[in-house]
């Protein structure tokens, strides 16, 4: 009896301390230290469970928070006792969130006198001391109660993922009426989910009266007449989606199929979103939505966009070469016309210069302002304008292609994977010239990289003794005269007999009778 008296003294001291302080149990449910802990002898054992307390420490039912320490557990902790029953879980409202991670379920959470989970580690130590039975008490929303008890209950340690290794046999004491096959007890609801109305928003004619508890269809079952059947057995069931309501259509999450239900018959047809639309799936239902700059039902989309260049024209408007209106990004001067080449090298080229040895050829001996705004015609030759070229080449990475015909009527081309010029404030400097490919032989344009644009009335070249633009009667990115005299290109110079331009070291003749400069967004493939 000495051991029993020691157990009672320790237990009642902890109970007394907790009652006096009104302290709440901490998150991990460990027992809080007491200012009177010096009264305890460290070799005194704690009760192993609530039954231990009931048997050794009280002649009446023990109820409320108590302190126990199961065999092998490293510290005492608080539990809630109901007589000789040790409560391991209590949940009666939504004040404590039971959606927790592994560590929280291992250590326990909540408040011992309220909603809580004692903790898997504590339950494992408790149920491995001896044979334990389990009682589960429950109450429905309508106030009906019942419980089920099991003759044995044991879980093992964390290494085995707290596996349930012993349970049973069970004995159900219920007050909920038994329901027919394919139905379960539940609260009466006026709105009933049926095969024709799977969402349960139309058929709300059910009269519950004073009935609170009734028999309902379980999850994934729907009413069909007076019976509950699997939703798969409804006439308009769609795998992966569920039952489609009558007179309602459904689009698959990947937008590849549209299904409709009519009088219990499901019909599905293939479909695809427009090339300018995106399939957006939400909650398993797809929807084709036109991309920004387009309008339509998603299956057919038309462009609302302002085309920035001939590449946009080719993609959204037409694949035919011709004159079209564009508005580059940031351009505030209103749309302007350009010549689009849709045939050479996969098309999409915006032509910025063209010259030919023809009777009505355009004079390229123009001043700064004329080169800035552009001049000429598509038939006689033209320069699109430095301001336009600047805005075009600065709305992304653009590539340049120059097609040439020499005096022997041999055709060549030079292609650069980057071409860009700066604003007028930087004298339209050729700030970007990329890698060279093509049949022109020599990479002549790279010698003009980082040079300013000059015209007969504006001398921005690198040569102090000559005004090269005035000497050549044209506008171009000139540098040092002697260097460029041998290693340069000039496609806007004076008409020299029948010649309209010069490209150093072509495989044929360096003198040209036709030139065309054109740009498009740099291609990645």
């Amino acid at each position: 009896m000495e051991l029993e008296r020691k157990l009672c003294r320790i237990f009642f001291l902890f109970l007394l301390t907790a009652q006096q302080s009104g302290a709440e149990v901490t998150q991990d449910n460990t027992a809080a230290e007491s200012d009177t802990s010096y009264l305890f002898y460290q070799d005194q054992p704690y009760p192993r469970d609530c039954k231990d307390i009931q048997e050794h420490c009280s002649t009446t039912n023990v109820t409320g928070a108590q302190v126990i320490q199961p065999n092998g557990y490293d510290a005492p902790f608080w539990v809630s006792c109901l007589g000789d029953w040790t409560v391991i879980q209590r949940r009666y409202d939504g004040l404590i969130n039971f959606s927790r991670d592994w560590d929280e379920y291992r250590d326990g959470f909540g408040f011992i006198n309220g909603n809580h989970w004692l903790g898997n580690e504590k339950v494992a130590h408790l149920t491995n001391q001896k044979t334990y039975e389990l009682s589960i008490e429950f109450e429905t929303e309508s106030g009906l109660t019942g419980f089920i008890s099991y003759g044995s209950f044991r879980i093992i340690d964390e290494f085995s993922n707290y596996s349930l290794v012993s349970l049973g046999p069970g004995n159900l004491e219920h007050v909920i009426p038994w329901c027919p096959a394919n139905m379960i007890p539940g609260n009466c609801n006026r709105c009933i989910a049926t095969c024709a109305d799977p969402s349960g928003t139309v058929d709300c004619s059910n009269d519950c009266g004073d009935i609170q508890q009734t028999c309902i269809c379980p999850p994934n079952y729907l009413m069909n007449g007076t019976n509950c059947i699997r939703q798969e057995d409804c006439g308009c069931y769609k795998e992966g989606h569920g039952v489609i309501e009558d007179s309602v259509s459904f689009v698959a999450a990947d937008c590849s199929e549209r299904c409709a239900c009519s009088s219990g018959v499901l019909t599905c047809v293939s479909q695809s979103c427009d090339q300018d639309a995106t399939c957006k799936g939400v909650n398993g239902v797809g929807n084709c939505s036109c991309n920004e700059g387009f309008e339509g039902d998603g299956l057919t989309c038309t462009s609302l966009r302002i085309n920035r260049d001939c590449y946009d024209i080719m993609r959204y408007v037409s694949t035919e070469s011709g004159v079209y209106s564009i508005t580059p990004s940031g351009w505030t001067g209103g749309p302007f016309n350009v010549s689009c080449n849709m045939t050479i090298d996969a098309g999409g080229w915006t032509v910025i210069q063209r010259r030919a040895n023809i009777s009505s050829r355009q004079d390229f001996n123009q001043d700064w302002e004329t080169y800035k705004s552009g001049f000429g015609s598509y038939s006689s030759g033209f320069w699109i304008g430095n301001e336009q070229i600047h805005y075009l080449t600065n709305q992304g990475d653009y590539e340049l292609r120059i097609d040439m015909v020499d005096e022997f009527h041999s055709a060549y081309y030079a292609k650069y994977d980057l071409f860009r010029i700066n604003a007028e404030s930087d004298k339209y400097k050729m700030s970007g010239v990329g890698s060279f490919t093509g049949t022109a032989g020599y990479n002549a344009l790279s010698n003009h990289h980082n040079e300013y644009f000059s015209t007969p009335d504006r001398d921005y070249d690198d040569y102090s003794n000559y005004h090269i633009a005035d000497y050549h009667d044209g506008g171009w990115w000139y540098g040092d005269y002697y260097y460029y005299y041998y290693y340069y290109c000039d496609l806007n110079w004076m008409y020299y007999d029948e010649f309209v331009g010069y490209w150093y070291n072509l495989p044929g003749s360096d003198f040209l009778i036709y030139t065309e400069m054109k740009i498009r967004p740099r291609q990645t493939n």
Side-chain angles (χ1 to χ4, degrees):
M1 292 301 296
E2 181 63 20
L3 173 60
E4 295 178 4
R5 287 195 294 272
K6 288 181 180 179
L7 286 171
C8 292
R9 285 199 298 271
I10 294 171
F11 160 70
F12 281 119
L13 180 59
F14 268 91
L15 177 60
L16 180 62
T17 302
Q19 290 174 341
Q20 287 175 341
S21 66
E24 293 180 321
V25 181
T26 58
Q27 182 72 9
D28 62 359
N29 296 329
T30 57
E33 292 185 1
S34 169
D35 292 336
T36 58
S37 59
Y38 63 88
L39 296 175
F40 304 138
Y41 294 100
Q42 296 302 313
D43 62 342
Q44 298 299 322
Y46 285 82
R48 295 177 299 172
D49 54 29
C50 291
K51 187 172 184 179
D52 217 351
I53 297 172
Q54 183 72 36
E55 291 177 351
H56 294 285
C57 305
S58 177
T59 58
T60 60
N61 280 344
V62 177
T63 301
Q66 312 291 341
V67 178
I68 66 171
Q69 185 176 5
N71 294 339
Y73 200 82
D74 56 2
F77 55 86
W78 292 99
V79 295
S80 178
C81 292
L82 292 175
D84 58 1
W85 291 93
T86 303
V87 180
I88 64 174
Q89 187 254 31
R90 181 185 290 120
R91 189 179 188 184
Y92 56 85
D93 56 33
L95 295 180
I96 295 295
N97 182 14
F98 274 63
S99 178
R100 304 295 183 110
D101 61 21
W102 176 269
D103 290 345
E104 290 176 290
Y105 267 96
R106 178 192 63 202
D107 300 331
F109 54 85
F111 300 94
I112 287 301
N113 288 326
N115 295 279
H116 71 279
W117 176 257
L118 184 61
N120 289 337
E121 191 66 21
K122 298 179 180 69
V123 175
H125 278 80
L126 271 167
T127 59
N128 279 276
Q129 302 179 108
K130 48 190 173 183
T131 300
Y132 280 77
E133 58 180 317
L134 173 69
S135 176
I136 302 174
E137 299 180 7
F138 54 87
E139 181 179 349
T140 69
E141 185 179 11
S142 60
L144 299 176
T145 61
F147 71 92
I148 185 171
S149 60
Y150 295 89
S152 64
F153 174 72
R154 182 165 67 93
I155 68 171
I156 51 179
D157 58 12
E158 185 176 19
F159 180 80
S160 300
N161 298 322
Y162 298 119
S163 298
L164 178 61
V165 295
S166 177
L167 181 67
N171 178 33
L172 177 65
E173 297 291 338
H174 67 87
V175 294
I176 300 175
W178 292 106
C179 293
N182 293 343
M183 302 188 81
I184 60 174
N187 293 324
C188 184
N189 194 330
R190 291 189 63 249
C191 300
I192 300 176
T194 66
C195 286
D197 178 28
S199 61
T201 58
V202 178
D203 185 5
C204 294
S205 59
N206 186 35
D207 185 9
C208 292
D210 296 330
I211 301 174
Q212 298 298 319
Q213 200 78 9
T214 187
C215 295
I216 63 173
C217 293
N220 299 320
Y221 278 70
L222 297 172
M223 286 296 295
N224 185 34
T226 59
N227 299 318
C228 291
I229 65 171
R230 297 184 309 163
Q231 61 175 4
E232 293 91 333
D233 297 329
C234 291
C236 288
Y237 174 80
K238 178 63 178 175
E239 183 71 31
H241 172 70
V243 179
I244 302 174
E245 295 181 23
D246 200 54
S247 302
V248 173
S249 62
F250 156 78
V251 177
D254 62 358
C255 299
S256 63
E257 187 179 48
R258 179 182 293 271
C259 299
C261 180
S262 177
S263 301
V265 177
L266 184 66
T267 303
C268 296
V269 294
S270 298
Q271 68 167 33
S272 61
C273 297
D274 188 88
Q275 64 175 357
D276 296 310
T278 301
C279 177
K280 299 178 181 179
V282 178
N283 296 327
V285 179
N287 179 51
C288 293
S289 177
C290 293
N291 297 334
E292 183 178 357
F294 295 85
E295 65 177 356
D297 61 2
L299 302 179
T300 302
C301 299
T302 56
S303 176
L304 291 175
R305 64 183 300 139
I306 298 174
N307 299 300
R308 303 175 304 162
D309 51 30
C310 289
Y311 189 77
D312 279 355
I313 296 293
M314 181 180 70
R315 183 179 178 190
Y316 305 117
V317 180
S318 174
T319 58
E320 297 293 327
S321 297
V323 178
Y324 298 92
S325 178
I326 66 169
T327 306
S329 297
W331 178 263
T332 59
F336 57 87
N337 289 336
V338 292
S339 176
C340 296
N341 189 314
M342 305 298 194
T343 57
I344 293 179
D345 192 10
W349 297 98
T350 304
V351 182
I352 62 174
Q353 185 258 29
R354 184 185 296 135
R355 295 185 77 184
N357 179 32
I358 56 177
S359 58
S360 60
R361 58 193 183 185
Q362 170 66 44
D363 185 7
F364 274 66
N365 184 11
Q366 305 290 336
D367 62 17
W368 179 268
E369 289 298 321
T370 305
Y371 266 98
K372 173 183 175 179
S373 59
F375 57 86
S377 68
Y378 302 122
S379 59
S380 62
F382 68 91
W383 181 256
I384 192 176
N386 285 338
E387 196 70 3
Q388 288 87 333
I389 297 173
H390 162 66
Y391 275 93
L392 278 165
T393 59
N394 280 271
Q395 58 184 349
D397 290 337
Y398 275 70
E399 56 187 355
L400 169 71
R401 179 182 172 112
I402 303 173
D403 284 281
M404 302 167 278
V405 178
D406 70 6
E407 61 177 310
F408 302 123
H409 298 276
S410 297
Y412 307 96
Y413 78 93
K415 190 174 180 180
Y416 296 86
D417 66 1
L418 179 65
F419 177 70
R420 179 177 293 124
I421 70 170
N422 290 352
E424 184 180 20
S425 60
D426 199 24
K427 307 177 184 68
Y428 297 119
K429 178 180 179 179
M430 188 187 293
S431 58
V433 177
S435 301
F436 163 78
T437 56
T439 60
Y442 181 71
N443 179 12
L445 187 65
S446 64
N447 294 320
H448 301 265
H449 188 202
N450 288 323
E451 299 295 351
Y452 299 114
F453 197 85
S454 293
T455 57
D457 62 328
R458 300 279 185 97
D459 182 8
Y460 297 129
D461 61 48
D462 293 338
Y463 190 54
S464 59
N465 294 335
Y466 281 104
H467 181 183
I468 303 175
D470 184 50
Y471 183 74
H472 280 205
D473 292 335
W476 196 251
W477 296 274
Y478 297 111
D480 182 273
Y481 178 74
Y482 287 111
Y483 182 76
Y484 288 104
Y485 183 78
Y486 295 103
Y487 302 107
Y488 73 103
C489 65
D490 186 352
L491 306 185
N492 288 347
W493 74 346
M494 71 187 105
Y495 286 102
Y496 179 66
D497 293 332
E498 75 273 26
F499 307 132
V500 300
Y502 177 87
W503 188 279
Y504 174 74
N505 204 23
L506 276 176
S509 169
D510 296 349
F511 295 96
L512 307 172
I513 63 172
Y514 175 84
T515 65
E516 184 177 271
M517 301 174 65
K518 42 195 169 289
I519 58 175
R520 73 178 175 190
R522 183 162 63 192
Q523 306 300 290
T524 57
N525 50 10

